[in-house]
Amino acid sequence: IFFIKYKNAAGLIKKFPFRYMFLVFIFSLTLTNFGVSHQYRHTPTLVFNICQSAIYAYCIWFLLKKYPHQTLTSLLKISLWFGLLISLYVLYETVTKTNPLLRFLVESGYYIQSAFITEIRFGFKRAQAIFSMHTTLGGVMLFVYALLLVAYKTKFIHQNRRNVLIIFLCALSVFLTGARSCIIAVFVSSLMWLSHIKGKQIFILCMMLPVLSLFAGDYLQQIIDSISNTETVNGSNSDMRLTQLLISWSYLMHSPIWGNGIGFLYNDVVLMNLDPDLYGAESLWFGVMADQGCVGIVAYALLFISPMIYSWKRNNKSAAFFVLATFIMFSLSSIPGVNPAMIPIFTIIINMMMDKSKEAKILKV
């Protein structure tokens, strides 16, 4: 439908900055799908993955190219409202330890394979809001947080208390998931703010640290302890992750070049409980190495390397912290429903705001 409405859309593909990277990505998916036996081949999934990664990213880039003001303004307005509404619901879920909306969606059959998470971590119920997993909430809110943080810094959204509060709530939502991978990612992505920090801002941060340590010292200490010593909390520790890596490696060795098939590790191993020690294969790379082999590893590595190079060439080095944050998040945990192929397009948006800010062409939301 998109290419029917915008008949000239395909004509700009030569200007798409990540065209070669996504060609490698499409090639890896295609090689995997048709390189395995018919038993593990699933062409509809191949088409779906190509559409939701390469084609979707290109469509967003085209709209940013053709209608930069309208597209970016709409995106930021929606992100502000989305971040606010989800964060408020997260606070409700944390305080009441209930999630009536998710229960309704599951019991009505709208959500399949979703469970209400009741685990307590760092003193709070692990929030998941409207999502199937707490890590999904953490991944989604990380993207929203990073986007709004840069928009605030570059003055694409008003620098007022309302927007500061929304950005803070987005970060808080990630903390309340209890997902260490997402929490680390928030800290790393926050470094985008420190590229040209002023003396006044340093003073404010220094004044806030004693307050944070007073009210959240124990909570922060628990997080730090859980990262440095993975045995201190429930969930996957370093030994369990090593076991998952070794199991995934063994499946890679079955077909090292193009892997065992798209979705093989999760659908044919995890769901069938063939390797109980694999649990949920809690890293992007475990699934990639077993599913797509070496070509998949190269293709997914480019999803992180290319945006970093893109940001570096545009002299927006601080944008690389966003890419690094997502790399850490996806490497340390599985993030269901959050597509790593969105990293390049979010990098384009972040760089676009940074470039416009340099040119003093500021759009207000």
Side-chain angles (χ1 to χ4, degrees):
I1 294 173
F2 180 87
F3 287 98
I4 291 173
K5 181 174 181 178
Y6 301 102
K7 294 182 173 57
N8 62 333
L12 291 179
I13 197 167
K14 291 183 178 179
K15 295 183 179 180
F16 184 42
F18 294 112
R19 60 189 181 280
Y20 294 121
M21 182 212 69
F22 275 119
L23 281 175
V24 172
F25 190 78
I26 292 172
F27 173 75
S28 71
L29 289 170
T30 306
L31 185 62
T32 293
N33 189 65
F34 293 103
V36 299
S37 63
H38 287 280
Q39 179 184 358
Y40 298 110
R41 187 179 300 172
H42 202 275
T43 304
T45 303
L46 166 69
V47 175
F48 173 76
N49 286 345
I50 292 173
C51 288
Q52 74 157 355
S53 55
I55 296 178
Y56 184 64
Y58 178 76
C59 290
I60 297 176
W61 173 83
F62 175 83
L63 293 174
L64 285 166
K65 190 82 173 174
K66 191 173 180 66
Y67 311 107
H69 187 156
Q70 179 183 347
T71 303
L72 190 56
T73 300
S74 298
L75 174 63
L76 293 177
K77 281 183 177 178
I78 292 169
S79 297
L80 282 167
W81 278 107
F82 179 84
L84 176 62
L85 293 174
I86 294 296
S87 298
L88 291 176
Y89 191 69
V90 166
L91 291 177
Y92 171 82
E93 179 185 2
T94 302
V95 172
T96 64
K97 297 182 181 180
T98 61
N99 195 328
L101 181 56
L102 183 66
R103 284 194 182 278
F104 168 76
L105 292 171
V106 172
E107 292 171 0
S108 301
Y110 294 111
Y111 279 8
I112 302 174
Q113 297 177 348
S114 295
F116 178 63
I117 296 171
T118 58
E119 180 189 349
I120 303 296
R121 180 175 284 188
F122 310 133
F124 296 98
K125 176 201 170 296
R126 304 188 76 173
Q128 65 186 118
I130 61 172
F131 303 101
S132 61
M133 289 288 292
H134 53 282
T135 50
T136 303
L137 169 64
V140 170
M141 296 308 284
L142 172 70
F143 276 77
V144 177
Y145 168 74
L147 183 70
L148 294 179
L149 182 69
V150 175
Y152 183 89
K153 177 184 175 182
T154 55
K155 300 181 181 178
F156 272 77
I157 59 176
H158 290 297
Q159 295 183 329
N160 54 32
R161 293 177 183 176
R162 180 202 67 178
N163 291 339
V164 170
L165 178 61
I166 293 174
I167 294 171
F168 170 76
L169 288 174
C170 289
L172 180 62
S173 296
V174 178
F175 278 86
L176 292 176
T177 65
R180 289 162 291 178
S181 57
C182 299
I183 292 171
I184 295 171
V186 163
F187 277 114
V188 174
S189 61
S190 297
L191 295 175
M192 290 190 291
W193 178 258
L194 301 177
S195 57
H196 297 96
I197 193 166
K198 299 176 183 178
K200 181 181 177 181
Q201 294 163 338
I202 294 175
F203 175 76
I204 294 173
L205 286 173
C206 291
M207 292 296 292
M208 289 175 62
L209 287 176
V211 179
L212 284 173
S213 63
L214 179 64
F215 289 100
D218 292 340
Y219 176 68
L220 294 175
Q221 187 61 47
Q222 288 181 56
I223 295 174
I224 294 169
D225 290 343
S226 73
I227 293 170
S228 59
N229 181 10
T230 56
E231 306 290 343
T232 59
V233 295
N234 296 326
S236 293
N237 55 44
S238 54
D239 291 336
M240 293 165 66
R241 295 290 171 89
L242 178 59
T243 301
Q244 293 174 26
L245 172 61
L246 294 175
I247 294 172
S248 302
W249 180 265
S250 68
Y251 283 111
L252 169 66
M253 291 297 99
H254 293 168
S255 181
I257 304 301
W258 51 69
N260 299 280
I262 299 172
F264 166 81
L265 193 68
Y266 185 74
N267 295 325
D268 297 279
V269 179
V270 173
L271 290 183
M272 298 299 159
N273 202 32
L274 295 182
D275 272 303
D277 290 337
L278 191 59
Y279 296 98
E282 294 161 286
S283 172
L284 168 71
W285 303 106
F286 298 162
V288 171
M289 66 170 63
D291 292 356
Q292 294 184 246
C294 292
V295 292
I297 293 172
V298 171
Y300 274 87
L302 289 176
L303 285 178
F304 300 98
I305 296 172
S306 297
M308 282 194 170
I309 295 173
Y310 176 81
S311 301
W312 194 272
K313 286 183 176 180
R314 301 187 75 87
N315 199 29
N316 295 320
K317 298 181 178 68
S318 61
F321 286 120
F322 165 71
V323 185
L324 178 61
T326 56
F327 173 78
I328 292 171
M329 180 180 71
F330 281 108
S331 297
L332 294 182
S333 184
S334 57
I335 316 293
V338 180
N339 189 356
M342 287 295 98
I343 296 168
I345 197 63
F346 268 78
T347 304
I348 288 176
I349 296 167
I350 288 171
N351 276 271
M352 180 180 177
M353 289 190 288
M354 290 180 174
D355 290 339
K356 292 289 185 182
S357 179
K358 292 175 187 175
E359 299 168 5
K361 294 179 180 178
I362 310 302
L363 308 176
K364 294 290 185 180
V365 176

